[in-house]
Amino acid sequence: MAITLHNEAAIVGIGQTAFSKNSGVSELALAAEAVKNCLDDAGLDPVEVDGLSTFTLDSTDEVELARAVGLGDLHMFAKINYGGGAAVGLIQQAAMAVATGVCKYVVVWRAMNGRSGQRMGQGVSGEIISSDLIHWSWYMSHGMLTPASWVALIASNYMAEYGAGSEHLAEIAIAQRNYALNNPVAAGFGKPLTMDDYMNAKMISEPLRLYDCCQETDGGVALLITTPERARDLRQKPAIVRAVTQASTRGQEQMTSFYRDDLNSLPEMELAARRVYEMSGLSADDIDASCLYDAFTPEVLMQLESFGFCGRGEAKDFVQEGALRIDGRLPNNTHGGLLSEAYIHGVNNIAEGVRLIRGTSTSQPPKPINHALVSSGVGVPTGALILGADD
Amino acid sequence: MKPGRIKPPMGHDNAWWWQQAAEDKLAIQRCSGCQVLRHPPRPMCDRCRSMEWDFIIAKGEAKVISFTVLHHPKFPGYSYPLPIVLAELAEGTRYIAELIDCDVERITRGMRLQVTTQTDDDGFKIPVFRPATGSE
Ligand SMILES: [Zn+2]
């Protein structure tokens, strides 16, 4: 029998730490606290957990986490590459493990001192010769050391081609800040963002200004995945995995896919979209809300086209009509997202997708949310996830 | 001496390219199996899977496909604002590099460029772009 990942798994626990600019504790401590809070949320004894998955970038070792939290025998542990591109991949690992019976309860996490420790925004460097480092060297030597600089080179071309301007990027940043105003744990809580604030903020890498770029955050988020059957015995209303996939396409580079014929689209995100729509039997019309990976505002514009919410080049009009706002067609990142809640590499966006299905977002849209779409990092090997309510 | 730019790590797959750069040349790898040009260099041709290759030297003519101007953060060894262009070389491959000798306000898509060598205070050489003569 062919196994698909349609309705084979559910996310049934969410745990997180406080989000801050200086946690004052180790990344292992953040991971342990997030996992403990996640298991408490679900009502599961830690000794029942038998699978773990996280990012290759995560510094916490699986057995150190297991010892700290008091987990039981482990049947699966797996780390996934490509920064924020890993986020949804964790759910795919977990879903495969529970669907096949390899594991009963899988915890996934990302914990990072992303501001007080190693900062993504400070770029890359290193001495070890690997295929990856040689890749970065084509950009590093010219001074292109940060994610903002790599994204800007793609965004600049997209925006020129389709006539998108700063006002469209601002609409995304401000819509998400308005959500963060309701979210007490968000970096943007109590900090309104006006169009003037946006336009007058410092330029980072043209056309990206400060508020086009995500937070740098210390914190951790963990999620518990099991089968829908087991989920029904736990404390929370499960968010069923309707479909999940990873995606990378021909000519893919990590953040610098500058050599493909078409520079105005995200082929890997289009692949992710095709896969999750096929697996779930759903289409863009069925998606009620989204948590599109938002390290930088132009990535949201481009993904709206990848997932078919509008046509090529039309995302600027889609957002200008207010589609991403709470009463719009597609409320997006209702927790504030990476831009205005926290940068936990997109795992916090998955947590918000679960809350939207539970009906517990601090900015829960007034309409029913039957299906929520979540994506992984943009410009890297990536993935997508559709969550739905238990029938 | 002011701090120099970040040096590329040099391994089997890329050191030869930087050796050409040190001689003021912009090299483009060429597959010996199907003659396709490719950049950045790789050990295998993704079309015919040949692991044999040589290279040609670019004429140095190019045009801007996309560009950005870096403002923040500022790293030692680079001067800001720092314009970076994604350019298509006359030979058809693309190359990403700094643009020198050009007011950032004047950069446009389609602008014609010429490859030149930037030599740092420490002697390190890297191919960069400047506006093509007559393009200003
Ligand atoms: Zn070939």
Side-chain angles (χ1 to χ4, degrees), chain B residues 30-36 38 44-50 52:
Chain B
R30 178 172 60 187
C31 173
S32 301
C34 69
Q35 306 298 307
V36 160
R38 62 180 189 255
M44 181 181 283
C45 175
D46 70 343
R47 292 167 190 245
C48 75
R49 279 83 194 180
S50 171
E52 303 296 317

Side-chain angles (χ1 to χ4, degrees), chain B:
Chain B
M1 194 167 77
K2 62 178 188 181
R5 74 179 66 236
I6 294 177
K7 304 300 185 290
M10 295 191 196
H12 291 294
D13 295 338
N14 71 336
W16 65 271
W17 190 92
W18 290 101
Q19 283 153 15
Q20 293 302 310
E23 294 171 24
D24 301 324
K25 291 168 184 161
L26 173 61
I28 308 174
Q29 193 179 34
R30 178 172 60 187
C31 173
S32 301
C34 69
Q35 306 298 307
V36 160
L37 300 177
R38 62 180 189 255
H39 183 81
R42 293 182 291 277
M44 181 181 283
C45 175
D46 70 343
R47 292 167 190 245
C48 75
R49 279 83 194 180
S50 171
M51 297 185 83
E52 303 296 317
W53 53 268
D54 60 2
F55 59 86
I56 63 169
I57 301 302
K59 282 185 295 183
E61 296 166 12
K63 66 171 193 210
V64 176
I65 296 177
S66 187
F67 64 94
T68 182
V69 182
L70 279 57
H71 296 263
H72 179 86
K74 295 178 171 60
F75 295 95
Y78 301 88
S79 48
Y80 297 86
L82 173 61
I84 299 283
V85 294
L86 164 58
E88 187 164 274
L89 301 176
E91 290 78 6
T93 55
R94 295 175 187 167
Y95 178 63
I96 286 107
E98 275 178 63
L99 175 60
I100 63 168
D101 300 337
C102 182
D103 181 351
V104 296
E105 307 295 319
R106 292 215 321 277
I107 313 172
T108 55
R109 297 164 87 218
M111 178 178 171
R112 289 171 46 239
L113 304 170
Q114 178 65 43
V115 173
T116 186
T117 297
Q118 176 84 59
T119 306
D120 291 352
D121 288 355
D122 59 5
F124 180 74
K125 292 189 173 192
I126 188 168
V128 298
F129 293 110
R130 61 175 172 72
T133 314
S135 75
E136 357 226 313

Side-chain angles (χ1 to χ4, degrees), chain A residues 122 129 137-138 140-145 152-153 156-157 160-161 202-206 250 258-260 263, chain B residues 5-6 8 10 17 40-41 46 65-72 75 78 84 94-98 109 127:
Chain A
Q122 292 295 304
I129 295 178
S137 74
W138 297 108
M140 280 158 53
S141 300
H142 290 285
M144 287 185 87
L145 289 137
L153 207 49
S156 161
N157 191 62
E161 193 69 26
K202 73 177 163 192
M203 195 61 90
I204 302 295
S205 188
E206 297 177 25
R250 191 162 185 171
F258 300 138
Y259 309 95
R260 304 192 282 209
L263 285 172
Chain B
R5 74 179 66 236
I6 294 177
M10 295 191 196
W17 190 92
D46 70 343
I65 296 177
S66 187
F67 64 94
T68 182
V69 182
L70 279 57
H71 296 263
H72 179 86
F75 295 95
Y78 301 88
I84 299 283
R94 295 175 187 167
Y95 178 63
I96 286 107
E98 275 178 63
R109 297 164 87 218

Side-chain angles (χ1 to χ4, degrees), chain A residues 53-258:
Chain A
S53 182
T54 189
F55 292 48
T56 51
L57 283 183
D58 201 278
S59 74
T60 293
D61 187 81
E62 292 93 334
V63 298
E64 295 301 326
L65 176 71
R67 278 163 16 102
V69 181
L71 304 181
D73 298 339
L74 297 177
H75 304 153
M76 186 274 282
F77 25 94
K79 288 196 170 187
I80 301 180
N81 201 355
Y82 301 116
V88 162
L90 305 182
I91 307 299
Q92 182 180 254
Q93 288 289 316
M96 289 192 295
V98 300
T100 55
V102 167
C103 293
K104 290 181 176 162
Y105 300 100
V106 180
V107 164
V108 306
W109 84 92
R110 177 76 174 112
M112 56 202 282
N113 280 325
R115 179 64 180 78
S116 70
Q118 189 191 350
R119 299 170 65 183
M120 300 295 149
Q122 292 295 304
V124 293
S125 65
E127 294 301 324
I128 302 162
I129 295 178
S130 63
S131 59
D132 188 51
L133 193 57
I134 286 177
H135 155 71
W136 292 119
S137 74
W138 297 108
Y139 315 105
M140 280 158 53
S141 300
H142 290 285
M144 287 185 87
L145 289 137
T146 62
S149 66
W150 308 318
V151 168
L153 207 49
I154 295 283
S156 161
N157 191 62
Y158 169 91
M159 291 170 71
E161 193 69 26
Y162 294 127
S166 296
E167 67 276 23
H168 303 108
L169 303 184
E171 167 62 31
I172 295 166
I174 293 169
Q176 291 193 198
R177 180 59 62 93
N178 287 341
Y179 290 129
L181 294 178
N182 298 331
N183 177 3
V185 306
F189 182 65
K191 296 176 191 160
L193 178 65
T194 67
M195 185 61 87
D196 278 352
D197 297 335
Y198 172 90
M199 291 295 180
N200 294 327
K202 73 177 163 192
M203 195 61 90
I204 302 295
S205 188
E206 297 177 25
L208 304 180
R209 292 178 170 83
L210 180 66
Y211 294 110
D212 293 309
C213 305
C214 63
Q215 300 292 317
E216 292 180 292
T217 311
D218 288 6
V221 177
L223 303 165
L224 174 66
I225 294 90
T226 188
T227 59
E229 294 69 32
R230 289 195 186 91
R232 288 172 199 128
D233 297 331
L234 295 173
R235 184 176 292 152
Q236 299 290 348
K237 178 179 158 187
I240 306 292
V241 174
R242 293 276 183 252
V244 63
T245 191
Q246 289 185 291
S248 176
T249 54
R250 191 162 185 171
Q252 178 92 60
E253 289 198 358
Q254 182 171 189
M255 301 298 298
T256 57
S257 299
F258 300 138

